[in-house]
Amino acid sequence: MESVIERIQRGNFWQFHGGIHPPEQKFLTCTKPIASAQIPEQLIIPIRQHIGQAGDLIVKVGDKVLKGQELSASDTPMSLPIHAPTSGTITAIKSMAIPHPSGLSETCVILTPDGEDTWKQRHICPDFQLLSKAKILEKIANAGISGMGGAGFPTQVKVSTLAKIDYLIINAAECEPYITADDLLIQEHSPTILDGIKIVDHLLNPKNILIGIEDNKTKAIDALKKATADIDHIQVCVIPTKYPSGGEKQLIQILTGQEVPSGVLPSSLGIVMQNVATCFAIADAVINDTPLIKRVVTVSGQALEKPQNVWALIGTPVGFLTSQCGYNNSKNRHLIMGGPMMGFSLPHDQIPVIKSTNCILAPSEIEIASPFSSTSSKEVECIRCGQCADVCPAQLLPQELQWSAKAKDQPQLSKLNLFDCIECGACAYVCPSQIPLVHYYRVAKAEIRQQKLLDIKAEKAKVRFEARKQRLEREKIARAEKHKKAAEARKARMNAGTTAAKSEKSAVADALARVKAKKAQASINANTTDSSTESTAENAMAKNTAENTAEAVTQVDQIDESKSQVANAIARAKAKKLAQKNQAQIDSLDTLQDNESTSSLTSSQAAPVVIDKKAKIAAAIAKAKAKKRQAEPVSNSANTQADHIQASVIEANNVEATTEILKPEVHAKETAIDEKAHQAKDITSSGKINNSAEASENKQQSKPQPASQNDTLNLDRKAKIAAAVAKAKAKKLAEKSQQGSDATSSTIESNQASELTSQANIAANTVANKKARVAAAIAKAKAKKLAASSDKSSTSE
Amino acid sequence: MAFWIASSPHNHQQSETSALMRLVIYAAIPGIFAQWYFFGWGNLIHILLAVITAIVAEFTVLSLRNKKITTQLFDGSAILTAVLLGISLPALAPWWITIIGSFFAIVVVKQLYGGLGHNPFNPAMAAYVMLLISFPLQMTQWQPPLSLLAMDIQLTDTLAVIFTGYTPQGYSVEQIRTHIDGFTMATPLDTVKTNITLGLTVVESMQAPTIGKHFGVGWEWINAGFLLGGIFLLFKKAIQWTTPFSFLLSLFICSFIGFIISPDSSTSTMFHWFTGATMLGAFFILTDPVSGATSVKGRLIFGALAGLLVYLIRKFGGYPDAIAFAVLLCNMAAPLIDQYTRPRTYGHKLGVKK
């Protein structure tokens, strides 16, 4: 098998699939010398002119810069610096339209030249062999050199590859119609280009150097052959003219027969490709210490009077170049940056020339139809002629891609290898239906990229959401654990029985009580919820009972004032003791509640409110009762409930009322029954319903607590008033009852009294607190009247 | 002062679909001329009828579909379909055969499937098959070459036969088809087929007057005319060489094998090439891009399959000629062929089926 070099030496090249032969139109410019650079009034220098990141700006508005001075500094291999193309002043740094198909804006440095064109200090290096490879690479990087063929890949990245290089290919094919920039550069500057090739050779040390050039550039071929005649490992490969032989992948296939695998850089095959203009720039940078500040641009097209190649400073507005070449088409302007196959239209003529700009095309309407002519936009249905597939250099199926692109069938597009499309435009060029195929692919590619971005975003959001869910779950568990521990610790501390624990307990209890009281008041005042209505009703009922009791008490008082006073004192003392006891109970209850889950917090909070309120009422009742009880005869032990009470009372005072009357006893019983019913409704902390004595005792504990409560005050006041009223009545009654009171009358009376109580209850249940109070007052009055009447009836009996 | 923004490529070779269609129509002229020379005015009248019907039908459907009428009506595709149908029909077939066929081709086969570029079947051939199946009598009344006719048929006679069924002198189509010797003449393919079933050898069949010296009086010249037109199209790069090449090669190989095995019951390779609609099918029907395969490999398979089918139907089928059936069957196979003949994309591994 013959080697690649042997084949090339015989002039026998491989072929890439497809390809087209569009009218070359190179004659317009290929015979004229390159015009020297003119300095425009203003230079617009985009800070990013290559593939990669922009360097960091190191100049500011108002700075005076010299020719070749760095305007931005690069820190990473993929970012390149830019340089001042001439001396002048930085007049602005702003976002301006950049030469890109999108027509988007990016940061540009605006340089107003001073016309002096003063160079910065340069260090000419006549022999690059004296420099180290690192030094050469640094020089190339600092000169801001990127690929000048079109893509703009940073050159120092390409030439610093560590892969073993078999072939260094110098791309001089320049297959696009019209463009002669490389052709002219070779014709005029082949020695410098050769220097550049030698520098790259020195850096990469390839086995062979192949210069690929199309056979339509005879003068350039001669110049190259002459220049490389004495160098053995450089081959000038004259390849047949066919578009797009200048494509990197295509040229590699033509010269070496190898295909660059999809998605891989050629260096993996041991191949590096450099454009001739890039080689020139490398030589200029390394030897003359000249950064990349100018390049050859073909300004061509039949709309120009003098189409020619010009040296253009980077940043020169396109309009300056076209006017230099005699562009005077005032209307229907159409400017293309790049060739007619892969170039893009410019939105206006103030777009600057950048490092990768090789051509400005100003075609006449005959050359390239514009939408202003009637022949434009003739897209018709695809007839599946397959010419597009025949010319596709990537061997794609353009028509199938087109259908999938129109249908937005992204999986099918990927299957058809849309991303292997190099957008050479050969398919659209031959399409008889004039379908802008490449445009469809560009849109589809953009859509797929967009979709990929969205997919990545969605994936990230999903991960984030899952993480958050897990974190919340973890936190919840941790919180529950913490609460449990804290509750246990508190319980243990309280059960320790130390003084500290006690004081803590009381402090906690106080605080709790305060909170409870506040809440209770709020609920009473608001009086909206069921529980509050209920409690109000209970309140009213209790009041009623209390009044009844109070009535009885006053009677008793009347009868045996001195005794009851003593009893009061005893009861108070007792109550105090109980209060202490009960506080401890409440504490334990609270602890229990604390241990409960937070979700049941509201309900457990509601319960103490009710309990508390009830306790207050009960306290009032109990107070009265206690008074009454002391006057109660011991002999009346038939009633078990009363017995309990009596037992406690007897124990406490040892005083016996001998002048007892039956009536107060009945009252007391009645109250006890009432109280019992009352207790059945609530669940007190003690939970002992049957034992009324203990229950009443429990209630008594709350007496000192709500002293400041309005409710209790009201109650007290009313009780006092009622007492005063009752006192007078009782006096009268006492006299009567002394004579003839029997069981029957007392039963009747008790029945009536309980009826009244229930009446009051109903009233209280349906209306608000105030009303309940009023009703209570009415009931009170009624009760009195009834008592009187019953007395009468009993007397009559 | 406005600047035009356009997507690359800005250059275009300025070819147009309508130009392509026109070119194909022009290329059919030598064949049509031969047809006129040997068979009289019949097919020209049918072509005219078909074209008028096609334009009316196309106009109607395009207006119903709210399409750009001027550009699409004269893109040449409907006219080409009508011309091909007119060429294929028997010269003395009644006028309504053409009208129905042309209408069916445009409305049903082409437009109902979505118009140009979307029809899975070749409209002319689908219409032909529909007519052949629906009206077998009218569709098999082939007119013998003028030189063999007992009477002299002029333009007026042909017109009268097509529109009334009788010549002004009162002759029916049957009578016209009758040889001086009193038997009804058919196409060469028909003759051979009938004779083989009658137990005659092919060599004996070749003595029939319709076949003449070579492969059939007139037919050989018509096929030569279409071959000429096809070569012109190839030269103009209007059609790809692949399909006609593989079709003719496949037919040649098949008939050659058949001839080797049984020379008595098989006609020669050149007889297959130069009778019937072989050349018309090879260069004008099978090369229809819309209903054919797209890749080079796919076209080779497509053409070879068509050749095989033509031979099989001619040899073993019930119909003497088979181009239309073979084309329709291949049209059905085209998407599948395309699916399995996708080219390997640059930079992708060999043999990876996508």
Side-chain angles (χ1 to χ4, degrees), chain B residues 335-354:
Chain B
L336 192 73
I337 293 169
D338 273 350
Q339 183 69 28
Y340 287 102
T341 54
R342 293 216 168 112
R344 182 187 61 88
T345 307
Y346 177 100
H348 286 260
K349 273 185 198 138
L350 280 161
V352 174
K353 279 271 185 317
K354 289 281 178 179

Side-chain angles (χ1 to χ4, degrees), chain A residues 249 259 262 333 340 343 345 368-371 381 384-385 394 399-400 417 420 428-434 439 442, chain B residues 1-4 6-10 12-13 15-17 117-118 240 289-290 292 294 299 342 344-348:
Chain A
K249 290 176 171 184
E259 281 186 22
S262 184
R333 294 212 232 179
S345 333
I368 290 171
S370 78
E381 294 285 348
R384 295 167 32 105
C385 67
Q399 52 166 10
E400 290 199 28
N417 305 318
D420 284 296
Y429 177 81
V430 298
C431 180
S433 297
Q434 313 214 347
H439 186 67
R442 285 205 191 98
Chain B
M1 236 338 259
F3 278 77
W4 177 33
S7 187
S8 71
H10 305 282
H12 191 267
Q13 70 175 12
S15 67
E16 282 175 40
T17 307
H118 299 285
Q240 301 288 322
V290 176
T294 52
R299 286 194 188 114
R342 293 216 168 112
R344 182 187 61 88
T345 307
Y346 177 100
H348 286 260

